[in-house]
Every structure is written in C-alpha cells, then in structure tokens.
Amino acid sequence: MQSPLPVRDGVNATRLRLPDEGPWDTAMDYMMHRWGHIDPQGIEDRFDAGEIVGEGGIPLDRSTPLQDHTFIWYYRTLPPETRLPVELSILHQDEHLLVVDKPHFLPTTPGGTYIQESALVRLRNQLDLPDLIPMHRLDRMTAGVLLFSTNPQTRGKYQVLFEKRQVQKEYECVSAAEPAPGHPAVEFPVVVRNRMTKSRSYLLAEVIDGEPNAETRIEQLETFDDGGPEGAAGTGGSGTSRRRLARYRLEPHTGKTHQLRVHMASLGLGIVNDAFYPDLLDKAPDDYAKPLQLLARGIRFVDPISGRPVEYRSDLDLSEAVRTRP
C-alpha cells in the first residue's frame, strides 16, 4: 500500500494497522495503549499538529474514531546514531539501477538500532533518491555487490528476475583449508543440499529433515597461510603450525537466510570471524578489524530493459586473503 507521506530524511513513514474493534474509542486511544508509556505527550502533540494521517493523507485529531481508518501513517522519532566507520562505493548508476559495494557492518535496510546507518537510508540521502529500493539484501556482516532500483516504473521488471531465480550470484569466503575434526574430508567442487528453516523467534537458521530447499555449489580456489597463497592443489608450505586457510567460491542456487554460512559450517569449514556458525558466540561490540570473511563478489543477469547480459563485480577483497599475500 502506497504511503500518503513522503520519505523524510531517507526513512519511510511508519504504517500502523488499527484494530477493527476493541476498548478504544479513538485512534489516539489505541496509540496511547500501544506507546503511551513511552511518550504520551509526544503522541498528543502529533495528533494536534496533524502529523498522523490516514488513507489519502487525511490528518487525524484526538477525536478521530477508531473505525474511521484501517491504516494510519506517521514519522517515528529517531534516536541519534553514531556513524559507522565504513563507506559505500558506487559501482554503477543509470536511470533504472544503482549498484554499490556494501561494506561489512552496514545493514542493507533500516532495522533495530540502525536506521540512518543503513545502506538504503545513506544512499537515499546522499544521492537524493527517495524512491530507492533494494532488489535483494545482504546480511549486515556480509560485504559486496548490492542492487537497488531507482525507478518505480521499471522496478517490477527487475523484481521478476529475482522471483524467477534468473539472477546468478557469486560469493567468496575465507575458511579453514581442511574440515574441523569430526567432519569428513571434502572433494571440491561440492554441492550442498538440505532443508533449512529460521523462525522469527530464533536467532539462528538450522538444518532440519525434509525435502531440500537450499542449495550451494562450493569450490576451493586457493589455500594459504602466513607464508602466502598457493594453488589449491598445492602440497602446503613449511609453516605446518600456522593456521591453514582457503578462499572459496560459493554459488547459491537458492536464497535462504544465512544459507552460505550454514552450508560452510555443515562441512566443518565455518567462515572466519563468523559469530553465529558453527557456534553462537556471546554478543560483543563490532570489531572492525575482524569482519566476517564473506563477500558478495558478483551478480549477473539479462537486463530486462536492454535485453543484454550484464554483470557487476565487487572491487572489495576479503581482508584475511589480502593480509596473507606477499
């Protein structure tokens, strides 16, 4: 449903559905029930100022009956945010698409404590593009190629590509070169297929019995240690006591939440600096020196406007792979 209020400071107005019935005579009574314990004066002031609107942008006042509107819109009061010490870079921009390199630690869209400090809001404000909408999402801890639609008139054509799985994505990660103890050896390339689920009340995704709904092709590209990289088929270096790592190419054929992280962990190859898989670590402040070693390297598809194949590649590199190179 289209909001009657424009984007403000890069953020959409909040939509609230009013109940059909209940012990509340007015819309304001219901809002007081929901949030009056937080800011009752602020709610009253917003109704008095006409800042809360219904369908068609009609301002509500203190006496507007509950039954007059199904949905109402208003702007949330946003808490101050400390700017994250990471930056976006633009890879491509035209009248239909914006393609960026999203850094680690920056969420794709507003949520929780990150509103202004999200890729979407930053870009809307930076480029004065209030209609900007992401075509897909990357986890906050994942870096790399991220596509946005800049044009509402052509947005549906790109959305169909994602819905029909006509977009090919390529990721890279850094993990151990050999599976953890207790896991069998892996012959690459390997395809992992299983059934994954993630509930709203549970932080982690998990593998369950049933028909597979998640699939990833995994290829080992190179192995390396503190002495530098070598070909994946190499025999190793003299530093046998050093941490042996490898860089992998990941090609997901589905898009489940945390799919790549879960699939790597299931092989005993948990991604470096992953605080969720294979073990959930205690929550700690972000350590910008230790980003999750997962990167959305590239994305390709047939552009529905031009009819030509296109591919966008990240200019970023995974820090563990770079650090160990001579």
Side-chain angles (χ1 to χ4, degrees):
M1 180 179 292
Q2 182 69 33
S3 171
L5 294 176
V7 171
R8 187 169 76 178
D9 297 328
V11 181
N12 294 89
T14 296
R15 187 182 73 176
L16 174 67
R17 184 186 181 100
L18 298 178
D20 295 330
E21 57 184 17
W24 312 284
D25 293 328
T26 67
M28 192 180 82
D29 289 341
Y30 179 68
M31 289 197 73
M32 283 293 191
H33 166 74
R34 292 284 301 270
W35 296 291
H37 63 288
I38 299 174
D39 185 18
Q41 187 60 54
I43 292 174
E44 291 178 350
D45 292 344
R46 290 186 185 190
F47 275 98
D48 292 342
E51 294 179 352
I52 298 176
V53 306
E55 291 120 39
I58 300 172
L60 280 63
D61 58 34
R62 296 189 186 208
S63 62
T64 301
L66 181 72
Q67 295 79 15
D68 277 13
H69 296 276
T70 301
F71 293 99
I72 61 175
W73 288 263
Y74 60 95
Y75 295 112
R76 286 187 293 166
T77 300
L78 303 178
E81 295 179 56
T82 301
R83 186 174 176 86
L84 298 177
V86 295
E87 299 299 331
L88 288 149
S89 60
I90 296 175
L91 300 172
H92 171 83
Q93 184 175 1
D94 60 32
E95 61 181 312
H96 306 290
L97 285 181
L98 173 69
V99 187
V100 303
D101 249 344
K102 186 190 82 66
H104 298 284
F105 302 103
L106 188 71
T108 298
T109 55
T113 58
Y114 302 98
I115 306 298
Q116 294 292 329
E117 284 305 287
S118 62
L120 176 61
V121 176
R122 273 199 191 184
L123 290 165
R124 280 178 172 177
N125 290 331
Q126 175 187 334
L127 302 175
D128 192 23
L129 293 173
D131 289 326
L132 198 67
I133 292 293
M135 291 289 89
H136 60 117
R137 299 191 183 195
L138 296 178
D139 288 345
R140 186 170 81 88
M141 292 303 185
T142 303
V145 177
L146 183 60
L147 267 66
F148 293 83
S149 163
T150 61
N151 188 337
Q153 278 67 51
T154 59
R155 182 167 299 152
K157 295 181 182 294
Y158 292 95
Q159 289 174 327
V160 167
L161 297 181
F162 287 89
E163 291 169 0
K164 293 186 175 181
R165 297 183 182 176
Q166 294 175 348
V167 176
Q168 289 75 50
K169 300 176 184 177
E170 176 188 341
Y171 290 74
E172 289 180 11
C173 75
V174 172
S175 301
E178 299 292 338
H183 292 267
V186 180
E187 183 175 344
F188 295 101
V190 64
V191 176
V192 178
R193 297 185 185 91
N194 52 34
R195 186 166 190 83
M196 291 179 53
T197 184
K198 184 177 184 298
S199 71
R200 291 183 178 273
S201 60
Y202 188 60
L203 181 64
L204 302 181
E206 57 182 341
V207 176
I208 61 174
D209 293 334
E211 184 72 18
N213 63 358
E215 178 178 322
T216 307
R217 182 183 184 275
I218 302 169
E219 178 183 356
Q220 191 178 86
L221 299 177
E222 61 180 0
T223 63
F224 52 88
D225 54 28
D226 289 343
E230 61 187 20
T235 58
S238 59
T240 56
S241 64
R242 299 168 182 163
R243 181 172 60 162
R244 293 285 295 167
L245 299 175
R247 185 167 61 91
Y248 297 86
R249 177 186 291 123
L250 312 175
E251 297 175 335
H253 296 162
T254 52
K256 297 297 180 182
T257 299
H258 294 177
Q259 175 178 319
L260 302 180
R261 297 161 73 173
V262 170
H263 280 180
M264 289 299 292
S266 72
L267 298 176
L269 299 169
I271 298 174
V272 172
N273 299 332
D274 192 341
F276 283 13
Y277 308 97
D279 300 310
L280 178 62
L281 305 182
D282 291 337
K283 183 173 175 58
D286 289 339
D287 185 344
Y288 297 101
K290 295 181 178 180
L292 175 70
Q293 295 297 286
L294 179 61
L295 172 69
R297 172 58 71 192
I299 192 167
R300 63 186 185 276
F301 53 89
V302 175
D303 189 280
I305 306 300
S306 68
R308 296 192 297 268
V310 295
E311 182 174 13
Y312 302 103
R313 306 282 293 178
S314 174
D315 290 334
L316 301 174
D317 284 305
L318 293 169
S319 57
E320 283 292 332
V322 172
R323 184 180 63 81
T324 55
R325 288 173 181 161

